[in-house]
Amino acid sequence: MPSSTDPLVCHDNAASRVAELADFVAYAFAQNCDDPSLSRGLVGATWLLAESGEARHRHTARRLLALAAALHGARAPNVALFAGLTGLQWTFDALSTVLYEEEPDAEAELDRLLAEVLRVERWRGHHDLVSGLVGIGVYALANPRAGRCGELCAALLDQLERSAIRPEPAQATWITDGSLLVSHARELFPRGRIDLGLAHGVTGVAAWLADVAMHPEIDLALQLRAARLLDAAIAWILSRREAQEHPHGYPYFVEPDGQAVPTPRVRLAWCYGDLGVAWALTRAASARGRADWAEAARCTGARAASRDACDSGVADPWLCHGGAGVAHVFGCLARATGDPIFADAARRWWQRALDLAQEHTIRAAPALLEGATGLGLALLAAMRGAPPRWNALLLL
């Protein structure tokens, strides 16, 4: 199985675009910015500036990280990956050798805070990647401090096991309580909802469980616990497959009673829809050696690859639900499976993303998820043809 693909974009054209994007991001965040987040703010910008390879941008990255740390230090603790302290510490750990030419800190106060936060009898917050348990789990799996990875993953598994809903004995899923939804979503789902997105839902939980089940530093007993819960999560996800004649493979949301929420034709994206399901199934198949799951992943991904760009709902070039995100996920599927269908789709979508970038005002949006930072990072990954170090942020 290949570990990389041939470059998916023209190197010279992509390199000049990345340089332009990095310059803009450095300028944009040199202005007054009080958002320290990974998704929209200073910590996210650090990634493109660090990966650009330019000393001047790495100098700016160090300054932005220091400012983000100061801003977080002046606020109430927030442990979310995309908006809080786990995203900051994850970035410090991942980029310490790049930005500071030294190994990550041997101790982190955040590890003690997380141990305390996860000690509650039952988790009442989000279970997802963006704001909840899975996001903390991304930080835990990358934690370089002795023993912390296993300790945190064990605590997270405890919470996921306790909060799982069992529609059938061999299934598991997770409900997002209505109190956690934003106001307009709470009006639509007063009892809460089951989310199938990679960013906010059950497929994200499954992708993380697959990573735990395969992680070389996780002890066997913990790997087996993750594998059992993964089996149940995948069984539930596969049970939600729409009829063949349906315009997409999986719904966005399911009511707590199991009723699928009617959805117009689902936008092709990293965050929601068939691409995320295909990726979670691919990771789960690898973790559990399941050829049937691998085939389900291929069918789901191939169906996504067959969609016409004009009918995809993709209207911008960004990472979260734009052309760059679609191209990047197809590139990851190509590396993971070696299937040329996905490599061809990645190349088509990169052309589409770059066309969309010409149509949009890049300088209006410097953010990682929905702006120039994410576009630049995904372009760099496409140029280099190997998994980038930031992939875990997206569960890829």
Side-chain angles (χ1 to χ4, degrees), residues 4-380:
S4 63
T5 60
D6 293 333
L8 302 173
V9 292
C10 172
H11 185 280
D12 290 345
N13 290 343
S16 63
R17 176 52 65 92
V18 169
E20 174 190 345
L21 292 167
D23 285 346
F24 163 59
V25 168
Y27 170 80
F29 284 100
Q31 313 310 305
N32 292 332
C33 178
D34 61 357
D35 183 348
S37 72
L38 186 51
S39 58
R40 298 190 304 267
L42 298 163
V43 176
T46 296
W47 276 93
L48 179 59
L49 300 178
E51 295 284 10
S52 71
E54 293 196 38
R56 62 191 178 94
H57 286 328
R58 290 182 174 176
H59 173 79
T60 302
R62 289 190 290 271
R63 185 173 57 78
L64 296 187
L65 271 183
L67 177 56
L71 288 168
H72 274 302
R75 301 176 182 183
N78 175 354
V79 298
L81 180 66
F82 278 44
L85 292 167
T86 52
L88 174 66
Q89 188 63 54
W90 177 74
T91 298
F92 268 122
D93 291 342
L95 296 179
S96 62
T97 56
V98 175
L99 294 178
Y100 307 103
E101 298 183 350
E102 58 187 37
E103 294 301 314
D105 292 339
E107 295 290 337
E109 180 60 32
L110 176 61
D111 294 341
R112 289 183 283 273
L113 174 62
L114 291 175
E116 180 180 342
V117 166
L118 293 170
R119 203 173 291 128
V120 296
E121 180 63 27
R122 186 178 178 87
W123 183 259
R124 300 294 181 184
H126 291 276
H127 59 266
D128 68 351
L129 170 70
V130 171
S131 304
L133 294 172
V134 172
I136 297 172
V138 167
Y139 167 76
L141 283 176
N143 195 312
R145 285 163 282 282
R148 295 298 190 184
C149 173
E151 291 172 3
L152 288 172
C153 285
L156 289 161
L157 273 174
D158 287 343
Q159 295 297 345
L160 286 170
E161 288 168 344
R162 290 172 192 158
S163 58
I165 305 302
R166 300 279 185 168
E168 300 287 344
Q171 296 180 358
T173 190
W174 289 264
I175 295 175
T176 302
D177 189 80
S179 65
L180 299 173
L181 300 174
V182 296
S183 58
H184 72 272
R186 191 162 54 247
E187 292 175 5
L188 293 172
F189 303 99
R191 297 178 300 146
R193 68 190 183 194
I194 303 174
D195 189 308
L196 276 86
L198 199 58
H200 295 288
V202 180
T203 51
V205 177
W208 183 76
L209 290 170
D211 287 343
V212 176
M214 294 187 288
H215 199 285
E217 295 181 18
I218 298 291
D219 68 57
L220 181 59
L222 206 55
Q223 286 182 336
L224 291 174
R225 280 178 62 194
R228 286 192 294 270
L229 196 54
L230 171 64
D231 290 349
I234 294 296
W236 183 85
I237 290 169
L238 291 173
S239 77
R240 306 312 310 181
R241 179 72 169 85
E242 300 280 16
Q244 186 61 37
E245 63 271 15
H246 202 277
H248 54 78
Y250 292 84
Y252 272 9
F253 308 117
V254 173
E255 294 278 7
D257 62 6
Q259 182 69 36
V261 178
T263 312
R265 191 169 181 85
V266 172
R267 175 170 51 187
L268 203 57
W270 159 74
C271 52
Y272 279 101
D274 290 354
L275 265 183
V277 175
W279 178 255
L281 289 171
T282 297
R283 293 298 291 162
S286 180
R288 301 296 283 148
R290 292 286 297 264
D292 55 336
W293 292 356
E295 179 58 22
R298 185 187 184 280
C299 289
T300 302
R303 184 169 179 165
S306 71
R307 288 181 64 175
D308 187 276
C310 295
D311 190 37
S312 66
V314 177
D316 62 56
W318 314 134
L319 194 57
C320 181
H321 43 259
V326 173
H328 187 65
V329 178
F330 275 129
C332 291
L333 284 167
R335 278 191 295 271
T337 66
D339 195 322
I341 288 177
F342 299 136
D344 290 345
R347 293 185 180 94
R348 290 197 311 274
W349 272 101
W350 266 119
Q351 184 58 58
R352 176 63 175 159
L354 292 172
D355 288 346
L356 287 168
Q358 294 286 355
E359 300 169 12
H360 280 68
T361 304
I362 295 294
R363 294 182 177 276
L368 191 153
L369 281 188
E370 297 182 61
T373 293
L375 176 59
L377 284 169
L379 264 176
L380 276 173

